[in-house]
Amino acid sequence: MATSPPIAKILLLFSLHFLLCVSDNRLTPGQRMPSNETLTSDVFVLGFFSPRSSGGDLYLGIWYNISQRTVIWVANRESPVTGQPATLLFSVDDRSLRVVGSRGSNFTFWSANPLGAATEAVLLKNGNLVVRDGNGSVLWQSFDHPTDTFLPGMIFRYAYHDRSPNRLTSWKAADDPSPGSFTFGFDSTATLQFMTWRGSEIYYRTSVWSGDAFGSWHTPSSNANFVIYFTVLEDEDGFNFTINVSDSSPYIRYTLNPSGQLQLLGWDSTWKLWQTFVSVPYGCQVYGSCGQFASCNVNGTVPACKCLEGFEPRSQTAWSGGDHSGGCSRTSALRCGEADGFLRVAGMKLPDQFVRVRNKNMSECRSECLTNCSCQAFAYADLNMANAIAPRCLVWTGSFVDAEMITGGEDLYLKIMNFNSGASSGKSRRRKILLLVLSISAAASALACALAAWKFDEQIKGVFRQTKSEELVRDSSLIQEFLNNFSGANEVAIGEAADQAPQLPLINFESLVLATDNFSVSNKLGQGGFGIVYKGVLHGGQEIALKRLIRGSGQGLVEFKNEINLIARLQHRNLVRLLGYCIHGEEKLLAYEYMANKSLDFFLFDPVQKVKLDWGKRFNVIKGIARALVYLHQDSRLRIVHRDLKVSNILLDKDMNPKISDFGMARIFRGNQNEANTKRVVGTYGYMSPEYAMQGLFSMKSDVYSFGVLLLEIVSGLQNSSFHLSLDFTHLLPYAWQLWNEGNAKDFIDPSSNTQSCYLDEALRSIHVGLLCVQDNPSDRPTMSSIVFMLDNEIAISRTPKKPIFTIQRNDPSVENLETYSPNNMTITTVEGR
Ligand SMILES: *[C@@H]1O[C@H](CO)[C@@H](O)[C@H](O)[C@H]1NC(C)=O
Ligand SMILES: *[C@@H]1O[C@H](CO)[C@@H](O)[C@H](O)[C@H]1NC(C)=O
Ligand SMILES: *[C@@H]1O[C@H](CO)[C@@H](O)[C@H](O)[C@H]1NC(C)=O
Ligand SMILES: *[C@@H]1O[C@H](CO)[C@@H](O)[C@H](O)[C@H]1NC(C)=O
Ligand SMILES: *[C@@H]1O[C@H](CO)[C@@H](O)[C@H](O)[C@H]1NC(C)=O
Ligand SMILES: *[C@@H]1O[C@H](CO)[C@@H](O)[C@H](O)[C@H]1NC(C)=O
Ligand SMILES: *[C@@H]1O[C@H](CO)[C@@H](O)[C@H](O)[C@H]1NC(C)=O
Ligand SMILES: *[C@@H]1O[C@H](CO)[C@@H](O)[C@H](O)[C@H]1NC(C)=O
Ligand SMILES: *[C@@H]1O[C@H](CO)[C@@H](O)[C@H](O)[C@H]1NC(C)=O
Ligand SMILES: *[C@@H]1O[C@H](CO)[C@@H](O)[C@H](O)[C@H]1NC(C)=O
Ligand SMILES: *[C@@H]1O[C@H](CO)[C@@H](O)[C@H](O)[C@H]1NC(C)=O
Ligand SMILES: *[C@@H]1O[C@H](CO)[C@@H](O)[C@H](O)[C@H]1NC(C)=O
């Protein structure tokens, strides 16, 4: 006993002198970790980081040590250490973990609870920082205090008595870890579902828990599947939700991003980027968007609200005008107790505002609803949980919201007036039939649950899959055939100019590897829905922008072929020039002329960069795009509809001259053809004309519409797809129209464009033209050549634009980092039913 203090002292001194090795994954009491050192465990690193490239603020965090630092946990997110070195200290006195400033000042920026018996703090292989006692019991762990990320191995604990269960809280912005406005966690009233909140308002709701589940996803670059298992364990006090992944899985994480999107991301080690597998909400998936008794369907061309069967819009005018807030009501009232029956609506994400009735089996659940006059619907499932099977009877006794049509959804039994109810004689027989139907479907739904179960936004997953795998080129012989077709005399005839296709150079893959430093991250310029764009320098010194198409991305062989064939033939100073292409195994690459100033969105929507776009430059951009479109629509030997005009497809050269890029979606019209119908609607929400979005009809006039949106964005510096200006206007177009109509169009002009009064007329004229372009009726829209005329000449425009009514419901802006696929600005490709 007498010798022990000196030993302790020696140990202490020892540990104070020999702080850490880089490979260490643990701290012991008395040890410090300064900001230039880290703990490492497998792929995870614990250390100090500064989210802004300018440095300055230091946060203690845990991140993936991969080519793209991805932070999964932040300790002192509310109090960064500024202007001094930071240290993580494992206090000898109270055994707490503390983030302190430089030595000498012991202000604590963050601390984990005092932990009397703690003997070590260890970073585990799964990214969890745990503080343990000598017996290995966990006293504190970072997994209990999540930031914005949920990882395999983490537990979302819901305890019935705990009023403040864990939630994920978004970062404020991609470079600001302080708590943002979105949170995600268990819905504490219903407990069977998760919610995303924006402040205190519900922003998104997951499906109702219907049993343990798994989901399988596909990684395009490695052409492999992996599985995520969702597990719930229930005990007397509450339950735990966890996920684990199959062995073949990439690193995966659920992250609530700063714009409120809950995303499932997987690390693609081939492409060195995070693939987004799920990103919700989307369109009318935003909570309650469709109003009462309606369901959202994002499977189709455009997200759409639909009244449930037996219901109709409360206000037909508002509904068809795109305002669904009024919801739907019954076409004929229920006559309680007399002739009610149930209509089974399959494939539903069950609506919210249910009551869970405990301990009822299927038939009891049904009669619970049948005998209660205020009951509108019920749903039943056997909750198949890791440690139990429990019945889950849900009834809806008032109005309800937030239903959705999803693939693999559940059955909702809607109470309706019984069909054929005139015949009283049929009553008992009808009962039998109904019961039979009920029990069969119950069995079927139980099976479906067991298989597909927690439809954690199954159909978004589906949409993604569909998008990515469509026209996926599996068969290399197809590529070979295409190449033969392409280079041989047997030209793939597109349009009338097939005879004189220029010989586009085929660049060999190795020289592209050299040019881009083996596609190094530092050469990356950006990323679109179809691939990553790298800067490259060819052997002779020529700079190129190289688009490397993602295998299995929407741009399959068809688009690739299209793009090569088209661009090779087009020559206009406002169209980006294709210099060559490469096909190597499954790699497909396109080399373009390099554009020193990236794309228009880089400037237009960036508060700092946008001032570089003064009015003169903006007007030059507008006119350049317009001229290129005239060329595409009528002056080239082909007649081409671009179909995907948007700010990010307008590239800028070193003198800020615009060039239209991305012809993957373009289509050629022959002869007198003026309009076409497509089974595949492609384009970007926010830029799609109504007739195209709704009916798949495209024409030059759909490009005119997109041009109008683009023009209004350029003038205002506002983004149509993320428009949050005022409560009265959810979209840019009605806002522009209103200002114009009231004679206040001047207010629409971006102050950053520094439009002097002498140019005001040009700006106002542009707004006028823009509004003519975005009219709902295609025949009201001017042609591109008359647009060029109107922009170039200072004569009064006599036509008055009609108010644009049509808007596609869109969601939030993407403030997220550049590296993920954002469905918000991603090009949408969907297949329409035949
Ligand atoms: C961290 O910085 C301190 C002094 O600032 C230095 O003594 C130490 O060697 C550095 N550690 C590493 C791993 O660079
Ligand atoms: C991160 O990983 C790289 C290579 O995988 C390794 O060299 C480096 O030391 C790691 N960094 C840390 C802080 O562990
Ligand atoms: C450390 O904190 C204690 C009390 O919290 C204070 O008395 C002491 O002066 C501080 N030491 C330094 C070096 O700032
Ligand atoms: C370790 O466990 C033993 C027996 O359960 C207990 O007596 C002892 O206090 C524990 N030690 C610590 C540091 O918790
Ligand atoms: C749930 O997780 C907690 C720790 O967060 C654990 O103590 C508890 O035993 C778990 N319950 C079940 C049923 O697994
Ligand atoms: C994942 O969880 C499932 C269900 O709980 C279990 O069957 C499976 O063995 C687990 N897999 C791994 C890799 O832990
Ligand atoms: C449901 O429960 C009731 C009463 O407990 C029972 O009579 C009935 O057989 C059960 N039905 C089924 C399908 O289990
Ligand atoms: C019907 O359900 C509501 C809501 O659960 C409940 O308040 C009411 O008492 C029920 N009525 C009857 C007659 O059971
Ligand atoms: C979604 O669309 C696909 C293809 O058009 C169709 O097969 C599927 O049934 C649809 N799913 C839902 C829930 O409507
Ligand atoms: C190659 O050309 C033939 C004949 O024109 C056509 O049928 C086939 O679809 C083409 N193949 C590809 C991959 O373009
Ligand atoms: C390029 O990188 C890939 C994977 O990152 C690697 O397999 C390949 O060997 C590298 N090639 C060269 C020439 O460095
Ligand atoms: C989406 O927009 C963000 C911000 O505007 C941008 O950083 C990102 O590259 C865009 N992604 C795609 C797929 O266009």
Side-chain angles (χ1 to χ4, degrees):
M1 201 60 209
T3 57
S4 63
I7 288 176
K9 220 172 220 169
I10 289 164
L11 282 176
L12 197 63
L13 282 174
F14 188 81
S15 62
L16 281 174
H17 279 108
F18 299 86
L19 293 174
L20 291 169
C21 322
V22 177
S23 64
D24 268 349
N25 68 344
R26 68 191 64 215
L27 283 178
T28 50
Q31 274 190 318
R32 296 165 167 268
M33 184 187 79
S35 44
N36 61 351
E37 289 174 13
T38 55
L39 299 186
T40 311
S41 184
D42 200 14
V43 71
F44 292 101
V45 171
L46 170 80
F48 287 94
F49 71 99
S50 180
R52 294 193 184 84
S53 42
S54 54
D57 295 357
L58 284 174
Y59 294 88
L60 176 69
I62 297 175
W63 60 86
Y64 283 98
N65 181 22
I66 48 183
S67 55
Q68 187 185 323
R69 185 179 67 196
T70 306
V71 177
I72 53 132
W73 182 75
V74 184
N76 53 327
R77 63 189 303 194
E78 285 172 85
S79 45
V81 182
T82 48
Q84 55 180 320
T87 303
L88 173 65
L89 168 71
F90 197 164
S91 151
V92 202
D93 307 332
D94 65 1
R95 304 288 166 105
S96 65
L97 280 177
R98 298 177 174 278
V99 172
V100 296
S102 49
R103 277 163 202 249
S105 126
N106 58 6
F107 178 76
T108 298
F109 292 83
W110 172 87
S111 71
N113 325 343
L115 309 154
T119 58
E120 58 175 4
V122 187
L123 180 63
L124 302 182
K125 283 196 163 82
N126 61 2
N128 192 7
L129 174 66
V130 300
V131 178
R132 298 192 284 222
D133 66 14
N135 288 344
S137 307
V138 174
L139 303 174
W140 180 92
Q141 55 183 335
S142 62
F143 271 16
D144 285 343
H145 306 273
T147 306
D148 65 344
T149 299
F150 188 76
L151 293 176
M154 260 189 192
I155 294 177
F156 249 124
R157 167 85 183 151
Y158 182 80
Y160 299 129
H161 61 267
D162 183 358
R163 292 292 98 199
S164 56
N166 285 340
R167 283 192 186 179
L168 304 182
T169 305
S170 67
W171 286 28
K172 198 165 254 163
D175 61 356
D176 183 357
S178 61
S181 44
F182 294 94
T183 55
F184 175 83
F186 270 116
D187 168 16
S188 58
T189 51
T191 69
L192 290 167
Q193 53 195 8
F194 288 102
M195 301 276 199
T196 300
W197 291 267
R198 174 197 247 144
S200 58
E201 260 173 47
I202 302 170
Y203 180 59
Y204 172 73
R205 185 181 64 101
T206 64
S207 299
V208 187
W209 180 255
S210 62
D212 285 343
F214 60 86
S216 110
W217 280 272
H218 184 79
T219 37
S221 74
S222 56
N223 196 18
N225 291 316
F226 66 95
V227 180
I228 302 180
Y229 302 90
F230 307 91
T231 306
V232 166
L233 279 160
E234 194 170 26
D235 51 36
E236 292 86 65
D237 304 330
F239 48 90
N240 295 349
F241 171 75
T242 54
I243 57 175
N244 70 8
V245 293
S246 57
D247 293 343
S248 58
S249 167
Y251 305 132
I252 68 119
R253 61 190 170 107
Y254 276 95
T255 296
L256 183 64
N257 82 7
S259 46
Q261 292 286 304
L262 177 69
Q263 300 186 310
L264 169 61
L265 301 138
W267 178 248
D268 186 325
S269 53
T270 309
W271 293 97
K272 305 264 185 288
L273 54 85
W274 287 99
Q275 286 264 9
T276 306
F277 294 104
V278 172
S279 186
V280 284
Y282 177 61
C284 53
Q285 289 178 326
V286 169
Y287 186 81
S289 293
C290 293
Q292 297 172 355
F293 300 117
S295 67
C296 163
N297 186 354
V298 299
N299 193 26
T301 313
V302 233
C305 295
K306 197 166 157 269
C307 290
L308 293 172
E309 266 181 81
F311 292 80
E312 63 193 359
R314 270 186 208 278
S315 157
Q316 192 65 56
T317 12
W319 190 268
S320 41
D323 174 6
H324 305 115
S325 56
C328 306
S329 58
R330 287 188 181 275
T331 38
S332 51
L334 294 172
R335 276 181 288 150
C336 190
E338 260 182 66
D340 298 339
F342 289 100
L343 176 72
R344 182 171 67 95
V345 187
M348 294 294 275
K349 168 177 159 183
L350 298 177
D352 197 16
Q353 299 168 358
F354 51 81
V355 176
R356 181 178 178 189
V357 189
R358 299 250 166 201
N359 303 321
K360 300 276 182 205
N361 64 25
M362 176 75 182
S363 56
E364 290 167 327
C365 189
R366 178 180 180 277
S367 48
E368 183 76 20
C369 188
L370 197 62
T371 55
N372 187 327
C373 286
S374 55
C375 184
Q376 303 286 340
F378 80 96
Y380 179 85
D382 283 327
L383 281 192
N384 180 5
M385 299 200 286
N387 56 350
I389 291 197
R392 191 211 63 189
C393 167
L394 307 179
V395 297
W396 285 263
T397 54
S399 62
F400 55 72
V401 296
D402 206 42
E404 191 183 327
M405 315 273 288
I406 59 175
T407 311
E410 290 190 63
D411 291 343
L412 175 71
Y413 294 90
L414 262 182
K415 202 191 261 183
I416 49 160
M417 287 276 290
N418 220 339
F419 30 88
N420 310 327
S421 61
S424 56
S425 63
K427 188 154 184 173
S428 70
R429 212 175 109 231
R430 217 170 40 242
R431 280 242 145 148
K432 254 186 208 144
I433 293 172
L434 260 178
L435 268 181
L436 193 65
V437 168
L438 283 185
S439 48
I440 289 174
S441 59
S445 83
L447 190 66
C449 287
L451 290 178
W454 204 10
K455 291 96 196 174
F456 203 72
D457 316 304
E458 171 75 29
Q459 112 282 13
I460 278 292
K461 190 174 99 190
V463 167
F464 271 74
R465 241 198 231 133
Q466 199 175 54
T467 312
K468 300 241 170 77
S469 64
E470 194 189 354
E471 292 178 357
L472 189 141
V473 186
R474 284 192 199 79
D475 186 355
S476 58
S477 66
L478 199 65
I479 298 179
Q480 206 46 57
E481 185 190 336
F482 161 60
L483 274 183
N484 293 341
N485 277 357
F486 183 69
S487 50
N490 177 19
E491 172 63 52
V492 192
I494 302 185
E496 297 90 282
D499 43 284
Q500 45 167 356
Q503 281 299 311
L504 194 64
L506 185 78
I507 307 176
N508 86 24
F509 187 70
E510 285 66 33
S511 65
L512 293 177
V513 168
L514 274 179
T516 57
D517 198 7
N518 200 7
F519 304 105
S520 80
V521 177
S522 57
N523 280 29
K524 189 166 154 184
L525 292 174
Q527 179 177 350
F530 291 144
I532 302 177
V533 182
Y534 297 88
K535 180 179 178 177
V537 182
L538 291 178
H539 187 57
Q542 183 176 20
E543 290 180 325
I544 55 166
L546 189 67
K547 181 162 153 190
R548 185 190 202 185
L549 304 183
I550 290 184
R551 249 190 298 173
S553 74
Q555 184 152 7
L557 188 62
V558 172
E559 281 88 358
F560 188 56
K561 196 158 75 176
N562 225 343
E563 189 148 0
I564 295 183
N565 273 305
L566 270 173
I567 309 188
R569 292 190 184 121
L570 299 173
Q571 304 234 326
H572 187 276
R573 64 198 194 87
N574 296 115
L575 296 179
V576 72
R577 229 152 47 85
L578 183 60
L579 303 172
Y581 72 102
C582 167
I583 295 184
H584 175 81
E586 294 205 41
E587 298 262 19
K588 288 176 285 176
L589 303 112
L590 294 170
Y592 297 93
E593 61 180 319
Y594 176 70
M595 291 291 182
N597 275 314
K598 305 186 186 176
S599 60
L600 186 54
D601 56 342
F602 176 75
F603 291 94
L604 195 56
F605 303 133
D606 185 293
V608 176
Q609 301 290 344
K610 70 195 306 184
V611 295
K612 294 184 187 156
L613 283 177
D614 59 21
W615 175 254
K617 297 215 174 65
R618 291 190 200 211
F619 199 48
N620 180 47
V621 168
I622 292 171
K623 291 199 289 189
I625 301 167
R627 285 194 207 105
L629 285 173
V630 172
Y631 172 80
L632 289 179
H633 285 181
Q634 57 196 64
D635 288 354
S636 70
R637 297 188 49 200
L638 312 163
R639 296 170 60 225
I640 294 160
V641 182
H642 184 280
R643 297 209 298 173
D644 200 16
L645 283 173
K646 54 179 166 181
V647 174
S648 56
N649 280 345
I650 307 299
L651 307 184
L652 298 171
D653 70 9
K654 63 180 190 336
D655 302 319
M656 298 297 241
N657 291 312
K659 303 208 182 206
I660 300 180
S661 75
D662 221 326
F663 283 73
M665 298 300 182
R667 287 290 176 275
I668 298 188
F669 280 6
R670 292 152 200 275
N672 302 327
Q673 188 187 8
N674 281 318
E675 187 178 270
N677 201 315
T678 181
K679 284 184 299 220
R680 297 182 57 208
V681 170
V682 294
T684 303
Y685 292 132
Y687 293 96
M688 269 196 250
S689 65
E691 73 279 6
Y692 182 39
M694 311 295 282
Q695 295 151 32
L697 282 176
F698 67 91
S699 65
M700 315 294 166
K701 291 298 183 68
S702 30
D703 273 358
V704 170
Y705 184 94
S706 311
F707 172 77
V709 176
L710 194 58
L711 192 163
L712 293 172
E713 290 184 327
I714 294 172
V715 174
S716 65
L718 300 169
Q719 207 169 356
N720 186 32
S721 61
S722 60
F723 189 68
H724 288 300
L725 200 69
S726 89
L727 287 177
D728 295 344
F729 295 100
T730 52
H731 291 84
L732 184 64
L733 309 186
Y735 174 68
W737 188 86
Q738 182 92 351
L739 287 177
W740 184 85
N741 197 40
E742 290 168 352
N744 296 328
K746 224 172 111 191
D747 298 344
F748 187 69
I749 302 168
D750 188 351
S752 308
S753 68
N754 193 20
T755 309
Q756 265 111 44
S757 54
C758 50
Y759 297 119
L760 190 61
D761 182 58
E762 271 175 13
L764 295 177
R765 173 188 303 278
S766 300
I767 298 173
H768 193 155
V769 171
L771 287 170
L772 289 172
C773 295
V774 297
Q775 295 178 101
D776 292 343
N777 186 343
S779 57
D780 289 340
R781 298 173 208 148
T783 60
M784 280 319 300
S785 51
S786 60
I787 289 168
V788 168
F789 184 79
M790 286 188 273
L791 290 172
D792 276 345
N793 292 282
E794 289 174 24
I795 47 145
I797 302 170
S798 56
R799 291 165 63 187
T800 306
K802 294 182 185 144
K803 182 176 183 178
I805 304 289
F806 173 86
T807 47
I808 301 177
Q809 289 297 326
R810 292 277 297 100
N811 294 318
D812 254 31
S814 164
V815 247
E816 69 198 84
N817 60 45
L818 213 112
E819 313 298 338
T820 57
Y821 287 81
S822 148
N824 300 314
N825 51 2
M826 191 175 119
T827 298
I828 308 297
T829 307
T830 50
V831 182
E832 265 190 329
R834 273 141 214 269

